[in-house]
Amino acid sequence: DQQVKQNSPSLSVQEGRISILNCDYTNSMFDYFLWYKKYPAEGPTFLISISSIKDKNEDGRFTVFLNKSAKHLSLHIVPSQPGDSAVYFCAATGVRMDSSYKLIFGSGTRLLVRP
Amino acid sequence: DAGVTQSPTHLIKTRGQHVTLRCSPISGHKSVSWYQQVLGQGPQFIFQYYEKEERGRGNFPDRFSARQFPNYSSELNVNALLLGDSALYLCASSPDANYGYTFGSGTRLTVV
């Protein structure tokens, strides 16, 4: 039962253009969402997050949008740079689910930014 | 500042063996979580510990166990290894039992 889904395993964009990575979730109890970036041989690195009480959060070139009614979130990277090439994971959590702050991850989207 | 340190970085074990993976959190972080990442999938939650007590456990068999020590470091133990246990095991620490995780680089376990 995949509660967090990233349906696009890969995405290729030209340097300078916008990258849009998508994520869908099924559990309405999720109240916090995070994006992580992962390079080979490294652990995931936190990128940006959003609370369920917001619909947008921006940090520099990165913006996350949340559509609660559609149970959908997206990460926008503008402008995309070759150094952004990595695997991006969407994750969700909800303290109401249990006493832990476990993250439920999607399967990831591999982004390639072409020079 | 040192980040989350995991050891060993790579490990090869035979089916049926036991393995212990170790994690040192960032100084001052009291919570440690363990995740398993199988190739082609996202990380999957195994355990969270906070102040040496288990706060949560994922859907893993009893062959998986963990503990947290007074210095907040942690061990993940896996008994009776199966081929399917081959994965990248990630440790993450946070100051408190909250979302502010910092991940280590992981231990790559191969079971043959």
Side-chain angles (χ1 to χ4, degrees), chain A residues 31-32 34 36 38 41-46 89 93-95 98-108, chain B residues 35 37 40-45 48 54-58 88 90 97-106:
Chain A
D31 58 11
Y32 201 73
L34 308 91
Y36 283 84
K38 188 177 184 302
E42 295 184 13
T45 302
F46 170 74
F89 290 100
T93 189
V95 69
D98 60 27
S99 61
S100 73
Y101 286 77
K102 64 183 177 186
L103 298 175
I104 309 297
F105 283 86
S107 55
Chain B
Y35 287 79
Q37 186 183 7
Q41 297 180 21
Q44 188 172 356
F45 175 76
Q48 183 185 42
E54 183 181 303
R55 290 291 294 265
R57 182 186 181 112
L88 179 68
L90 294 162
N98 58 26
Y99 311 129
Y101 294 124
T102 300
F103 282 86
S105 297

